[in-house]
Amino acid sequence: MAEADTLFDKIVRKEIPADIIYEDETCLAFRDIAPTAKTHFLVIPKNRDGLSRLSKAESRHETLIGHLLVVAAKVAKEEGLGEDGFRTVINDGKHGCQSVYHLHVHVIGG
Ligand code: DGP
């Protein structure tokens, strides 16, 4: 069964504008619309492949999730966060305060 479209799918397809700061074949990084610090961006898979949330992760997702974290670190460095560091957050579900059900890594710093 096809997965329901998310807001972030629309950003991937460029149907909704976003301040995209990194893109490759498998993922996208863009600035959060409601930043909680000077620098706050999200890293998302272009194809969710069932990853509406981290708790849906299966072994087949290991490479993809690893890639999201490597990209998070690379873009954080490009954003000038390499020296002082940054926070990464993945909210999961209602008790994790998740609002968009398309896996995303928050990168927050500065
Ligand atoms: P979470 O609560 O972990 O599901 O975080 C979702 C984040 O997505 C939240 O920090 C705000 C951000 N967000 C929601 N809608 C948009 C949007 O249309 N554009 C951008 N750039 N960010 C969005």
Side-chain angles (χ1 to χ4, degrees):
M1 200 170 68
E3 296 176 72
D5 228 16
T6 68
L7 182 66
F8 291 171
D9 286 314
K10 293 191 172 74
I11 288 178
V12 168
R13 295 198 302 263
K14 317 273 166 71
E15 291 168 11
I16 291 180
D19 189 353
I20 294 169
I21 53 179
Y22 177 88
E23 179 167 15
D24 65 23
E25 277 179 13
T26 50
C27 74
L28 195 69
F30 54 93
R31 296 192 195 284
D32 195 290
I33 206 167
T36 60
K38 189 160 167 260
T39 303
H40 184 172
F41 63 89
L42 306 173
V43 186
I44 69 167
K46 286 184 170 176
N47 175 5
R48 249 175 309 138
D49 185 24
L51 285 172
S52 53
R53 53 197 281 191
L54 184 62
S55 53
K56 300 278 187 185
E58 296 178 13
S59 52
R60 74 172 190 278
H61 296 120
E62 281 176 10
T63 302
L64 174 60
I65 293 171
H67 183 66
L68 296 179
L69 293 179
V70 170
V71 167
K74 173 183 155 64
V75 179
K77 272 190 213 135
E78 288 169 5
E79 289 286 310
L81 304 176
E83 186 90 358
D84 292 334
F86 51 89
R87 172 178 290 177
T88 51
V89 175
I90 301 175
N91 293 324
D92 183 274
K94 187 171 67 170
H95 285 190
C97 300
Q98 185 177 4
S99 59
V100 180
Y101 280 76
H102 183 136
L103 181 70
H104 52 280
V105 181
H106 292 259
V107 180
I108 302 161

